[in-house]
Amino acid sequence: MEERILRANQEAFDRLQLAQPTIVGIGTAGEDIPGMDKMTVLHAGPPITWDRMSGPLRGAIVGGLIYEGLAKDEAEALELAASGKITFDSCHHHNAVGPMAGVTTFSMPVWKLRNEAFGNMAYCTLNEGLGKVLRYGAFSEEVIDRLKWMEKVLAPVLKATLALSGPIDLKTMIAQVVQMGDEGHNRNKAGTSLLIRELAPYLVMTEFSDEDKRDVLKFMHSNDHFFLNLTMPACKCSLDPLEGIENSTMVYTMARNGTDFGIRVSGLGNRWFTAPAEIIDGLFFPGFTKEDANPDIGDSVITETCGIGGFAMATAPAIVQFVGGTPQDAFNFTSSMYEITIGESSAFKLPPMNFRGSPTGIDIMKVIETQIRPIINTGIAHKNAGVGQVGAGLVRPPMKCFEDALEAFVEDAQARGLI
């Protein structure tokens, strides 16, 4: 059995190494994401019902329903959300990912990415910026107005820009940014800068007004996290081809919805293994404390699943100013992740570690054996809807996710007569 697992994990790891995530356009959730209709709302993390959703996820859903014109205010949105008329589902079930609450509705513009090595697609909404934003559960008038501007101006300008530029190789760009001080999850200064540099010559060639072009460039320039909504689907479409590799113990999904943390394992298909999400240990904005924090939330942990994010913190020492700790801590976190991974990335090289490849391919057996859980750096949402981000820090998945997954793996192997 051990030999079967080693071969399966090597196949899973090789598929991830071969991935070629590429931007191919801008679309809309309703037209491009499989299984979407006007009454469908996608969210981050494993599946969850309305009655168990946390404050920020509920707030984001309220905002999404108002944005779609399905409700005129909070009261109507809450009534509709609880009525059973809305279909809630995980972004991950629809080839998509979403940061924080991850709420994705029919009319929202999305990035369209294709893994050129395997032909599969991935989708993600466009990043709203910081402050009061939908992904942190805010749904005030300014939030809805910004979403409408993104739909009516930002997305069309970017769509026309990409039509002129052609597909953009994201794997090469991410490989560059991890050598420029980004880790691809909480620090995206280099990524956003490289993206603007790539798009600007074609953006100015579009037929939109100078005012629209200026506003789009200013919006991207003022939002260091703009690139996050590209690293996420890049990692998603890189990892999806790992689903269903018999006998593999490699994790191909980690995600959280603000209530539960969930993982999926290559050899166990699309089955989720969940446990209560933990509170993030980090730095809080003035006026907020740990008492204000919602449990861990968002699909952005797909970056760590792919070998960047917290796993590449050694290459982004400046991140500790945002999440707490010291540059040595960042180095130590990355070093420890080699203990629980199958190999090293051939693309994402870390200068502070003598250009060693980032630790890649979480193995549930190694997690259980070492008792080392994956490290994640992430934003902290307020537990109440509408407040927004209150800090950032570090968190790990519950060990129970890995224990339950390994138990299920053993049971599956026994059922197939392998052990």
Side-chain angles (χ1 to χ4, degrees):
M1 185 63 195
E2 183 179 353
E3 186 61 34
R4 291 174 187 264
I5 292 172
L6 288 173
R7 285 199 304 268
N9 282 345
Q10 190 62 53
E11 180 182 347
F13 184 79
D14 289 347
R15 288 190 191 183
L16 181 54
Q17 297 281 64
L18 288 170
Q20 291 291 334
T22 304
I23 306 172
V24 295
I26 294 283
T28 61
E31 293 178 357
D32 292 285
I33 295 180
M36 283 288 290
D37 61 34
K38 193 76 172 177
M39 302 299 283
T40 298
V41 175
L42 304 183
H43 60 77
I48 188 171
T49 52
W50 173 255
D51 59 296
R52 297 186 63 244
M53 291 181 187
S54 64
L57 179 49
R58 285 190 172 211
I61 288 170
V62 166
L65 296 177
I66 294 172
Y67 164 76
E68 290 293 341
L70 296 171
K72 71 173 187 293
D73 55 27
E74 180 182 3
E76 275 194 10
L78 289 170
E79 182 180 358
L80 177 58
S83 70
K85 296 177 182 178
I86 300 297
T87 298
F88 298 114
D89 201 8
S90 167
C91 286
H92 275 287
H93 291 176
H94 299 260
N95 307 119
V97 278
M100 300 310 290
V103 165
T104 305
T105 63
F106 190 85
S107 303
M108 289 183 180
V110 293
W111 291 104
K112 299 165 59 175
L113 273 67
R114 182 168 57 237
N115 180 348
E116 298 292 359
F118 295 93
N120 59 297
M121 300 290 293
Y123 309 92
C124 188
T125 52
L126 312 186
N127 195 283
E128 308 158 81
L130 298 176
K132 288 190 178 298
V133 288
L134 189 79
R135 69 180 184 275
Y136 279 98
F139 53 85
S140 61
E141 185 177 355
E142 67 180 284
V143 173
I144 305 303
D145 287 346
R146 185 188 304 112
L147 290 173
K148 287 296 182 183
W149 176 83
M150 292 170 68
E151 176 190 341
K152 304 297 184 185
V153 178
L154 177 63
V157 170
L158 291 176
K159 183 175 183 177
T161 300
L162 288 166
L164 293 171
S165 73
I168 295 175
D169 176 2
L170 264 183
K171 188 170 188 175
T172 299
M173 192 176 291
I174 295 170
Q176 286 181 279
V177 305
V178 298
Q179 295 192 23
M180 295 171 66
D182 280 3
E183 38 67 72
H185 186 166
N186 258 316
R187 194 175 196 277
N188 293 282
K189 290 178 181 289
T192 299
S193 299
L194 286 185
L195 181 68
I196 293 171
R197 179 178 171 180
E198 188 76 26
L199 295 177
Y202 302 98
L203 191 150
V204 298
M205 292 167 58
T206 65
E207 297 181 356
F208 290 87
S209 69
D210 288 345
E211 181 182 8
D212 285 345
K213 294 174 188 178
R214 180 202 65 202
D215 289 347
V216 167
L217 286 169
K218 284 180 65 178
F219 182 77
M220 290 191 290
H221 172 67
S222 66
N223 177 12
D224 284 338
H225 284 294
F226 196 75
F227 194 66
L228 172 62
N229 289 46
L230 284 168
T231 57
M232 289 175 56
C235 293
K236 168 69 173 170
C237 70
S238 297
L239 287 158
D240 272 357
L242 280 59
E243 179 183 346
I245 299 175
E246 194 170 75
N247 301 317
S248 174
T249 55
M250 183 168 159
V251 175
Y252 76 97
T253 311
M254 294 195 295
R256 47 284 210 257
N257 55 33
T259 301
D260 304 315
F261 195 112
I263 70 170
R264 297 191 296 181
V265 178
S266 174
L268 297 171
N270 61 8
R271 181 177 173 185
W272 288 95
F273 299 91
T274 63
E278 299 189 1
I279 296 292
I280 298 152
D281 182 22
L283 301 177
F284 287 84
F285 299 158
F288 297 103
T289 69
K290 209 167 190 175
E291 296 301 312
D292 300 303
N294 195 79
D296 195 18
I297 186 170
D299 282 336
S300 52
V301 69
I302 197 70
T303 56
E304 280 83 3
T305 318
C306 201
I308 55 174
F311 282 46
M313 270 198 285
T315 201
I319 195 67
V320 298
Q321 295 179 304
F322 191 49
V323 299
T326 66
Q328 184 62 47
D329 291 332
F331 186 92
N332 293 342
F333 283 130
T334 294
S335 296
S336 68
M337 292 301 98
Y338 289 107
E339 302 284 330
I340 61 170
T341 46
I342 292 165
E344 300 178 11
S345 173
S346 59
F348 308 139
K349 304 290 188 177
L350 312 181
M353 309 200 79
N354 294 320
F355 291 91
R356 189 178 180 183
S358 66
T360 303
I362 301 163
D363 185 345
I364 58 171
M365 294 197 304
K366 291 185 177 183
V367 172
I368 298 299
E369 180 184 354
T370 63
Q371 290 295 291
I372 297 172
R373 294 177 290 163
I375 189 69
I376 302 157
N377 59 39
T378 189
I380 305 173
H382 197 283
K383 62 187 178 182
N384 296 331
V387 179
Q389 185 177 8
V390 296
L394 303 171
V395 71
R396 297 180 190 261
M399 185 61 83
K400 188 175 189 301
C401 296
F402 300 92
E403 293 169 345
D404 289 352
L406 185 56
E407 183 178 340
F409 184 86
V410 172
E411 290 173 355
D412 177 70
Q414 289 174 333
R416 292 186 288 123
L418 298 179
I419 54 176

Coordinates of all heavy atoms in Angstrom, one line a residue, residues 241-303:
P241 N -7.1 19.5 -11.2 CA -6.8 18.3 -11.9 C -6.4 17.1 -11.0 O -6.2 16.0 -11.4 CB -5.7 18.6 -12.9 CG -6.0 20.1 -13.2 CD -6.4 20.6 -11.9
L242 N -6.1 17.5 -9.7 CA -5.7 16.4 -8.7 C -6.8 15.7 -8.2 O -6.6 14.6 -7.5 CB -4.9 17.1 -7.6 CG -3.4 17.5 -7.9 CD1 -3.3 18.4 -9.0 CD2 -2.8 18.0 -6.6
E243 N -8.1 16.1 -8.4 CA -9.2 15.4 -7.8 C -9.3 14.0 -8.3 O -9.3 13.8 -9.5 CB -10.5 16.2 -8.1 CG -11.8 15.5 -7.5 CD -13.0 16.2 -7.9 OE1 -13.0 17.4 -8.4 OE2 -14.1 15.6 -7.7
G244 N -9.5 13.0 -7.4 CA -9.8 11.7 -7.8 C -8.6 10.8 -8.2 O -8.8 9.8 -8.9
I245 N -7.4 11.1 -7.8 CA -6.3 10.3 -8.1 C -6.2 9.2 -7.0 O -5.9 9.4 -5.9 CB -4.9 11.1 -8.1 CG1 -5.0 12.1 -9.2 CG2 -3.7 10.1 -8.3 CD1 -3.8 13.0 -9.2
E246 N -6.6 8.0 -7.4 CA -6.8 6.9 -6.5 C -5.5 6.7 -5.7 O -4.4 6.6 -6.2 CB -7.1 5.6 -7.2 CG -7.6 4.5 -6.4 CD -8.2 3.4 -7.2 OE1 -7.4 2.6 -7.8 OE2 -9.4 3.3 -7.3
N247 N -5.6 6.5 -4.4 CA -4.6 6.3 -3.4 C -3.7 7.5 -3.0 O -2.8 7.3 -2.2 CB -3.6 5.1 -3.9 CG -4.4 3.9 -4.1 OD1 -5.2 3.4 -3.4 ND2 -4.1 3.2 -5.3
S248 N -4.0 8.7 -3.5 CA -3.3 9.8 -3.2 C -3.8 10.4 -1.9 O -5.0 10.6 -1.7 CB -3.3 10.9 -4.3 OG -2.7 12.1 -3.9
T249 N -2.8 10.8 -1.0 CA -3.1 11.4 0.3 C -2.8 12.9 0.2 O -2.7 13.6 1.3 CB -2.3 10.8 1.4 OG1 -0.9 10.8 1.1 CG2 -2.7 9.3 1.6
M250 N -2.7 13.5 -0.9 CA -2.4 14.9 -1.1 C -3.6 15.8 -1.0 O -4.6 15.5 -1.7 CB -1.6 15.2 -2.4 CG -1.2 16.6 -2.6 SD 0.0 16.7 -4.1 CE -0.2 18.4 -4.5
V251 N -3.6 16.9 -0.3 CA -4.7 17.8 -0.2 C -4.8 18.7 -1.4 O -3.7 19.3 -1.8 CB -4.5 18.7 1.1 CG1 -5.6 19.7 1.2 CG2 -4.5 17.8 2.4
Y252 N -5.9 18.8 -2.0 CA -6.1 19.6 -3.2 C -7.1 20.8 -2.9 O -7.2 21.7 -3.8 CB -6.5 18.9 -4.4 CG -7.9 18.4 -4.5 CD1 -8.8 19.2 -5.3 CD2 -8.3 17.3 -3.9 CE1 -10.2 18.8 -5.3 CE2 -9.7 16.8 -4.0 CZ -10.6 17.6 -4.7 OH -11.9 17.2 -4.8
T253 N -7.7 20.8 -1.8 CA -8.5 22.0 -1.4 C -8.4 22.2 0.1 O -8.5 21.3 0.9 CB -10.0 21.7 -1.7 OG1 -10.2 21.3 -3.0 CG2 -10.8 23.0 -1.5
M254 N -8.2 23.5 0.5 CA -8.5 23.9 1.9 C -9.4 25.2 1.7 O -9.1 26.0 0.8 CB -7.2 24.3 2.6 CG -6.3 23.1 2.9 SD -5.1 23.4 4.2 CE -4.0 24.6 3.4
A255 N -10.4 25.3 2.6 CA -11.3 26.4 2.4 C -12.1 26.6 3.7 O -12.3 25.6 4.5 CB -12.3 26.2 1.3
R256 N -12.5 27.8 4.0 CA -13.3 28.1 5.2 C -14.5 29.0 4.9 O -14.3 29.9 4.1 CB -12.4 28.6 6.3 CG -11.5 29.7 6.1 CD -10.2 29.3 5.4 NE -9.1 30.2 5.8 CZ -8.7 31.3 5.2 NH1 -9.1 31.6 4.0 NH2 -7.7 32.1 5.7
N257 N -15.6 28.8 5.6 CA -16.8 29.7 5.4 C -17.1 30.6 6.6 O -18.2 31.2 6.6 CB -18.0 28.8 5.0 CG -18.2 27.7 6.1 OD1 -18.0 27.9 7.3 ND2 -18.7 26.5 5.6
G258 N -16.2 30.7 7.5 CA -16.5 31.5 8.7 C -17.1 30.7 9.8 O -17.2 31.2 11.0
T259 N -17.5 29.5 9.6 CA -18.1 28.6 10.6 C -17.2 27.3 10.6 O -16.8 26.8 11.7 CB -19.5 28.2 10.3 OG1 -20.3 29.4 10.3 CG2 -20.1 27.3 11.4
D260 N -17.0 26.7 9.4 CA -16.3 25.5 9.3 C -15.0 25.7 8.5 O -15.0 26.5 7.5 CB -17.1 24.4 8.6 CG -18.4 24.2 9.2 OD1 -18.5 24.0 10.5 OD2 -19.5 24.1 8.5
F261 N -14.0 24.9 8.8 CA -12.8 24.8 7.9 C -12.9 23.4 7.3 O -13.3 22.4 7.9 CB -11.5 24.8 8.8 CG -10.3 25.0 8.0 CD1 -9.6 26.2 8.1 CD2 -9.8 24.0 7.1 CE1 -8.4 26.4 7.3 CE2 -8.7 24.2 6.4 CZ -8.0 25.4 6.5
G262 N -12.7 23.3 5.9 CA -12.8 22.1 5.2 C -11.6 21.8 4.4 O -11.0 22.7 3.8
I263 N -11.3 20.5 4.2 CA -10.3 20.1 3.2 C -10.8 19.0 2.4 O -11.8 18.3 2.7 CB -9.0 19.6 3.9 CG1 -9.2 18.2 4.6 CG2 -8.5 20.6 4.9 CD1 -8.0 17.5 5.1
R264 N -10.3 18.8 1.2 CA -10.6 17.7 0.3 C -9.2 17.1 -0.1 O -8.2 17.8 -0.3 CB -11.3 18.2 -1.0 CG -12.7 18.7 -0.6 CD -13.6 19.0 -1.8 NE -13.0 20.0 -2.7 CZ -13.6 20.3 -3.9 NH1 -14.8 19.8 -4.3 NH2 -13.1 21.2 -4.7
V265 N -9.2 15.8 -0.3 CA -8.0 15.0 -0.5 C -8.1 14.3 -1.9 O -9.2 13.8 -2.2 CB -7.8 14.0 0.6 CG1 -6.6 13.1 0.4 CG2 -7.7 14.7 2.0
S266 N -7.0 14.4 -2.6 CA -7.0 13.9 -4.0 C -7.7 12.5 -4.1 O -8.6 12.3 -4.9 CB -5.6 13.8 -4.5 OG -5.5 13.2 -5.8
G267 N -7.2 11.5 -3.3 CA -7.7 10.1 -3.4 C -9.1 9.9 -2.9 O -9.7 8.8 -3.1
L268 N -9.7 10.9 -2.3 CA -11.1 10.8 -1.8 C -12.1 11.7 -2.5 O -13.2 11.9 -2.0 CB -11.1 11.1 -0.3 CG -10.2 10.2 0.6 CD1 -10.1 10.7 2.0 CD2 -10.8 8.8 0.6
G269 N -11.7 12.1 -3.7 CA -12.6 12.8 -4.6 C -13.1 14.2 -4.0 O -12.3 14.9 -3.5
N270 N -14.4 14.4 -4.1 CA -14.9 15.7 -3.7 C -15.5 15.8 -2.3 O -16.3 16.7 -2.0 CB -16.0 16.2 -4.8 CG -17.2 15.3 -4.9 OD1 -17.3 14.4 -4.1 ND2 -18.0 15.5 -5.8
R271 N -15.2 14.8 -1.5 CA -15.7 14.7 -0.2 C -15.0 15.7 0.7 O -13.8 15.8 0.7 CB -15.5 13.3 0.4 CG -16.0 13.0 1.8 CD -15.8 11.6 2.2 NE -16.2 11.4 3.5 CZ -16.0 10.2 4.2 NH1 -15.5 9.1 3.5 NH2 -16.3 10.1 5.5
W272 N -15.8 16.4 1.5 CA -15.2 17.4 2.4 C -15.0 16.8 3.8 O -15.9 16.0 4.3 CB -16.2 18.6 2.6 CG -16.3 19.5 1.4 CD1 -17.2 19.5 0.4 CD2 -15.4 20.6 1.1 NE1 -17.0 20.5 -0.5 CE2 -15.9 21.2 -0.1 CE3 -14.3 21.2 1.8 CZ2 -15.3 22.3 -0.7 CZ3 -13.7 22.3 1.2 CH2 -14.2 22.8 0.0
F273 N -14.0 17.2 4.5 CA -13.7 16.9 5.9 C -13.6 18.2 6.7 O -12.7 19.0 6.4 CB -12.4 16.0 6.0 CG -12.5 14.8 5.2 CD1 -12.1 14.7 3.9 CD2 -13.1 13.6 5.8 CE1 -12.2 13.5 3.2 CE2 -13.2 12.4 5.1 CZ -12.8 12.4 3.8
T274 N -14.6 18.4 7.6 CA -14.7 19.7 8.2 C -14.6 19.6 9.7 O -14.8 18.6 10.3 CB -16.0 20.3 7.8 OG1 -17.1 19.5 8.3 CG2 -16.2 20.5 6.3
A275 N -14.3 20.8 10.3 CA -14.2 21.0 11.7 C -14.4 22.5 12.0 O -14.3 23.3 11.0 CB -12.9 20.5 12.3
P276 N -14.8 22.9 13.2 CA -15.0 24.3 13.5 C -13.8 25.1 13.1 O -12.6 24.8 13.5 CB -15.3 24.3 15.0 CG -15.9 23.0 15.2 CD -15.1 22.0 14.3
A277 N -14.0 26.2 12.4 CA -12.9 27.2 12.1 C -12.4 27.8 13.3 O -13.2 28.1 14.3 CB -13.4 28.2 11.1
E278 N -11.1 28.1 13.3 CA -10.5 28.7 14.5 C -10.4 30.2 14.4 O -10.5 30.8 13.4 CB -9.1 28.1 14.7 CG -9.1 26.6 14.9 CD -7.8 26.0 15.4 OE1 -6.8 26.8 15.5 OE2 -7.8 24.8 15.5
I279 N -10.2 30.9 15.6 CA -10.0 32.3 15.7 C -8.5 32.6 15.3 O -7.6 31.9 15.7 CB -10.3 32.9 17.1 CG1 -11.8 32.7 17.4 CG2 -9.9 34.3 17.2 CD1 -12.7 33.5 16.5
I280 N -8.3 33.6 14.5 CA -7.0 34.0 14.0 C -6.2 34.7 15.1 O -6.7 35.6 15.8 CB -7.1 34.9 12.7 CG1 -7.8 34.1 11.7 CG2 -5.8 35.4 12.3 CD1 -8.6 34.9 10.7
D281 N -5.0 34.4 15.2 CA -4.0 35.1 16.1 C -3.3 36.1 15.4 O -2.5 35.8 14.5 CB -3.1 34.0 16.8 CG -2.1 34.7 17.8 OD1 -2.5 35.7 18.3 OD2 -1.1 34.1 18.0
G282 N -3.5 37.4 15.7 CA -2.8 38.4 14.8 C -2.8 39.8 15.4 O -3.0 40.0 16.6
L283 N -2.7 40.8 14.6 CA -2.7 42.2 14.9 C -4.0 42.8 14.6 O -4.5 42.5 13.5 CB -1.6 42.9 14.2 CG -0.1 42.4 14.4 CD1 0.8 43.2 13.5 CD2 0.3 42.5 15.9
F284 N -4.6 43.6 15.5 CA -5.9 44.2 15.3 C -5.8 45.7 15.0 O -4.9 46.3 15.6 CB -6.8 43.9 16.5 CG -7.2 42.5 16.5 CD1 -6.4 41.5 17.1 CD2 -8.5 42.1 16.0 CE1 -6.9 40.2 17.1 CE2 -8.9 40.8 16.0 CZ -8.1 39.8 16.6
F285 N -6.7 46.2 14.2 CA -6.7 47.6 13.9 C -7.1 48.3 15.2 O -7.8 47.7 16.1 CB -7.7 47.9 12.8 CG -7.4 47.3 11.5 CD1 -8.4 47.1 10.5 CD2 -6.1 46.9 11.2 CE1 -8.1 46.5 9.3 CE2 -5.8 46.3 10.0 CZ -6.8 46.1 9.0
P286 N -6.7 49.6 15.4 CA -7.1 50.3 16.6 C -8.6 50.3 16.9 O -9.4 50.4 16.0 CB -6.7 51.8 16.3 CG -5.6 51.6 15.3 CD -5.9 50.4 14.4
G287 N -8.9 50.0 18.1 CA -10.3 49.9 18.6 C -10.9 48.5 18.5 O -12.0 48.3 19.0
F288 N -10.1 47.5 18.0 CA -10.7 46.2 17.9 C -9.8 45.2 18.7 O -8.6 45.4 18.8 CB -10.8 45.7 16.5 CG -11.7 46.6 15.6 CD1 -11.2 47.5 14.7 CD2 -13.1 46.4 15.8 CE1 -12.1 48.3 14.0 CE2 -14.0 47.2 15.0 CZ -13.5 48.1 14.1
T289 N -10.4 44.1 19.1 CA -9.7 43.1 19.9 C -10.1 41.7 19.4 O -11.0 41.6 18.5 CB -9.9 43.1 21.4 OG1 -11.3 42.7 21.6 CG2 -9.7 44.5 21.9
K290 N -9.5 40.7 19.9 CA -9.8 39.3 19.5 C -11.3 39.0 19.7 O -11.9 38.1 19.1 CB -9.0 38.3 20.3 CG -8.7 37.0 19.7 CD -7.6 36.3 20.4 CE -7.1 35.1 19.6 NZ -6.0 34.4 20.2
E291 N -11.9 39.7 20.7 CA -13.3 39.5 21.0 C -14.2 39.9 19.8 O -15.4 39.4 19.6 CB -13.8 40.3 22.2 CG -13.1 39.8 23.5 CD -13.4 38.4 23.8 OE1 -14.5 38.0 23.8 OE2 -12.4 37.6 24.1
D292 N -13.7 40.7 18.9 CA -14.5 41.2 17.7 C -14.3 40.3 16.5 O -15.1 40.4 15.6 CB -14.0 42.6 17.3 CG -14.2 43.6 18.4 OD1 -15.3 43.8 18.9 OD2 -13.2 44.3 18.8
A293 N -13.4 39.3 16.6 CA -13.0 38.5 15.4 C -14.0 37.4 15.1 O -14.5 36.7 16.0 CB -11.6 37.9 15.6
N294 N -14.3 37.3 13.8 CA -15.0 36.1 13.3 C -14.1 35.0 13.2 O -12.9 35.2 12.9 CB -15.7 36.4 12.0 CG -16.8 35.4 11.6 OD1 -17.9 35.5 12.1 ND2 -16.4 34.5 10.8
P295 N -14.5 33.7 13.3 CA -13.6 32.6 13.0 C -13.1 32.7 11.5 O -13.8 33.4 10.7 CB -14.5 31.4 13.2 CG -15.5 31.8 14.2 CD -15.8 33.3 13.9
D296 N -12.1 32.0 11.3 CA -11.4 32.0 10.0 C -12.4 31.8 8.8 O -13.3 31.0 8.9 CB -10.4 30.8 10.0 CG -9.4 30.8 8.9 OD1 -9.2 31.9 8.3 OD2 -8.8 29.7 8.7
I297 N -12.2 32.6 7.7 CA -13.1 32.6 6.6 C -12.4 32.9 5.3 O -11.5 33.7 5.3 CB -14.3 33.7 6.9 CG1 -15.4 33.6 5.8 CG2 -13.7 35.1 7.0 CD1 -16.6 34.4 6.1
G298 N -12.9 32.3 4.2 CA -12.4 32.6 2.9 C -11.8 31.4 2.1 O -11.3 30.5 2.7
D299 N -11.8 31.6 0.8 CA -11.1 30.6 -0.1 C -9.7 30.9 -0.3 O -9.0 30.1 -1.1 CB -11.9 30.5 -1.4 CG -13.2 29.8 -1.4 OD1 -13.3 28.9 -0.5 OD2 -14.0 30.0 -2.2
S300 N -9.2 32.0 0.2 CA -7.8 32.4 -0.2 C -6.7 31.4 0.3 O -5.6 31.5 -0.1 CB -7.5 33.8 0.4 OG -7.8 33.9 1.7
V301 N -7.1 30.5 1.2 CA -6.2 29.5 1.7 C -5.8 28.5 0.6 O -5.0 27.7 0.7 CB -6.7 28.8 2.9 CG1 -8.0 28.0 2.6 CG2 -5.7 27.9 3.6
I302 N -6.5 28.7 -0.6 CA -6.1 27.9 -1.8 C -4.7 28.2 -2.2 O -4.0 27.4 -2.8 CB -7.1 28.1 -3.0 CG1 -7.0 27.0 -4.0 CG2 -6.9 29.5 -3.6 CD1 -7.5 25.7 -3.6
T303 N -4.2 29.4 -1.8 CA -2.8 29.7 -2.1 C -1.8 28.9 -1.3 O -0.8 28.4 -1.8 CB -2.5 31.2 -1.8 OG1 -2.9 31.6 -0.5 CG2 -3.4 32.1 -2.8

